[in-house]
Amino acid sequence: MRTLSKLFLVGALGVFLAVQWNAPTFDPESLRGARVFVTGASTGIGEQTAYHYARLGAQLVITARREHVLHRVSERCQVLGAQQARYLVLDMAEPQDAERAVGLAADLLGGLDVVVLNHIGSSPFSMWDGDIQHLRWLMQVNFLSYVQMAKAALPLLEPSGGSLVVVSSLLAKMSSPFVAPYSSTKFALNGFFGTLQQELAMKNSNVSISIATLGLIDTDNAMEKVRDMVTIPAYPASEAALALLRVGASRQAETYYPQYLHLLALVRDWAPSVRDWVMRSSYNYTP
């Protein structure tokens, strides 16, 4: 059994290296003038994603809840080179806002080429306390609003052969303590959009769906929650955002940032005790 596990680990490493070596590239000019809608764009990964598209001359609509922050980000996008940068003040906890968000963005831009679904709701970094109401609220923000927006986006992206980028997490592939509500929403995202990828391929759709699996990113919100509790490094939001841009532009089905997460995902089911030990040892916790 040990020999088989070793052989699989070597094989998984080979697959990982082959995937990284042959990773598709894209022409930055292909995004000049592209009509891009980014959610959760007031801070963190969403903000940095907007800036990357702006530098390439895209047309942008961004959305979040806080108007004064969106105004600042949209102005910065124009300074960086966006052909236009507009914003929508919307709350994805409200189903009616999620329902109309994509249509409003398309109206402002005259259509859509890229939709990046990045927003998340706040959730405590702690052991689950049985709060069902919070879980229901978080499912609306982190999952159901994504489904609502995908429903609206797919017919709008079809004529342009557009791309839908869904921001997920390693915690959608490997269970971890302290994040039960958050992780459950991300598992739901992967299940739904993974299925949708298959169905669009079977229908020969022009739309690509890309799922971005991210590790711990150094956003202010994330760092505030995990301070003094984790032993793993956090990675730059700007680089995570660049991974989102690349996966959408190259129309890959999936990407990982940082890239070593792909290897973890490949071996997770072959050494479950090691996997679980690694996850639990990533935290500073004393009962």
Side-chain angles (χ1 to χ4, degrees), residues 157-273:
L157 292 169
E158 189 72 38
S160 63
S163 302
L164 177 64
V165 180
V166 178
V167 179
S168 190
S169 167
L170 180 64
L171 299 177
K173 294 178 176 288
M174 300 175 69
S175 299
S176 175
F178 307 118
V179 289
Y182 173 83
S183 185
S184 65
T185 65
K186 292 299 185 179
F187 266 93
L189 275 184
N190 277 31
F192 180 84
F193 284 99
T195 298
L196 207 53
Q197 284 176 330
Q198 301 290 346
E199 293 177 355
L200 292 182
M202 292 173 72
K203 295 191 292 186
N204 296 316
S205 171
N206 292 323
V207 180
S208 68
I209 294 179
S210 302
I211 300 172
T213 298
L214 305 183
L216 179 60
I217 307 301
D218 66 353
T219 63
D220 291 342
N221 289 339
M223 293 297 93
E224 179 66 28
K225 288 180 181 179
V226 305
R227 185 176 291 119
D228 300 325
M229 288 198 66
V230 299
T231 61
I232 56 176
Y235 292 84
S238 180
E239 290 298 312
L242 189 57
L244 304 186
L245 183 147
R246 285 174 173 159
V247 73
S250 58
R251 303 175 70 84
Q252 297 176 77
E254 190 170 30
T255 193
Y256 291 80
Y257 179 79
Q259 292 181 343
Y260 77 83
L261 298 183
H262 196 177
L263 183 59
L264 289 179
L266 287 172
V267 303
R268 62 178 179 170
D269 294 329
W270 280 75
S273 60

Side-chain angles (χ1 to χ4, degrees), residues 113-136:
D113 300 301
V114 182
V115 174
V116 181
L117 300 180
N118 163 76
H119 58 280
I120 58 170
S122 179
S123 190
F125 190 77
S126 61
M127 290 191 177
W128 188 51
D129 61 2
D131 188 346
I132 299 295
Q133 287 302 113
H134 170 71
L135 182 56
R136 287 197 179 102

